[in-house]
Amino acid sequence: LRDNRIELVRASWHELSISVSDVSLSDEGQYTCSLFTMPVKTSKAFLTVLGVPEKPQITGFTSPVMEGERMQLTCKTSGSKPAADIRWFKNDKEVKDVKYLKEEDANRKTFTVSSTLDFLADRSDDGAVLSCRVDHESLNSTPQIAMQVLEIHYTPLVKIISSNSWPEEGQSIVLTCESKGKPVPEPVLWTKDGGELPDPERMVVNGRVLSISFLNKTDNGTYRCEAKNPIGRNSTEYVLIVHDVFNTLLPTTVIPSLTTATVTTTVALTASKTTSATAISTRDPNAFAGKTGPDHALIGGIVAVVVFVTLCSIILLGRYLARHKGTYLTNEAKGAEDAPDADTAIINAEGSQVNAEEKKEYFI
């Protein structure tokens, strides 16, 4: 071996050691050690040299990228032997849908490998970090990585936030217009029903905030917030409805009026006398109606009906007793008008002692 990179390390009758510095691919091949004895003894070994891949580079990125445009990023590395492996990551999450290409270098010993990532630019990708990672056995588990931060430009995204979900007359409301875009949108423009704000004294715009004080029905309408940047413009609307104050009052409790049930019955106990009975059921006017409280009107009605039925029963029973007693007295008196005295009248009466057993009296 005649090379300045080759150095004799140890030489003895039992061992011969050499070292090779700055190893190159040309050092790959079969090495032979010979012992000049009789006969000569030899030992052979094949040396394999790994091609270390160059640091990868990402190409195809132009900054900034407009939203919706198609991006094709290529990661390439050369000089690997055997061919290196390339993987893509977006924010530490691996991207699988890529194209892989392997080509031999001019020396026909090493390889150039490349991987292409193809996707549509989206606003959610703005600020994302794309990483191209090269793995190879010569790197001792320390991969080589190339990174690219994405910059996506997009039109503003507009949203209106209200401070009052149920605005009433006399109250105030604050409408905040949130706009997000890249580049940062210019100051927003507030309009009402397609025109300028009608009352600048009550409708005050401070940056992205619209404040309306002392609301009334004339403030009803559609409020539009528009934001724009060099990429484009966007807008959103908010429909304001001012409600009457009394529509939001709590339901009032209605106190029922005095309830009176009156039942009048005329009862004739004798031929010349009448009497009346009146049953009145009243309800406390200070009592409130409740779901669990008794119905006083119903109770009063029931009491009145009971009183009425009781009085009717008393009247019917009294009339029956009066009619029966009168009949008895009449039967006793028959034949007594022509008698000179009481004894004769009793003897001449139809109800004499002969039929005394048939006479009956009832006492109540």
Side-chain angles (χ1 to χ4, degrees), residues 37-57:
T37 59
M38 294 299 293
V40 177
K41 298 179 180 180
T42 62
S43 178
K44 298 181 180 180
F46 190 87
L47 175 63
T48 300
V49 178
L50 298 177
V52 181
E54 298 176 355
K55 186 175 181 179
Q57 292 183 348

Side-chain angles (χ1 to χ4, degrees), residues 59-66 69 71-73 148 151-152:
T59 59
F61 180 76
T62 57
S63 181
V65 180
M66 304 302 170
E69 289 186 0
M71 299 182 62
Q72 287 187 342
L73 303 182
Q148 178 65 59
E151 183 180 2
I152 312 297

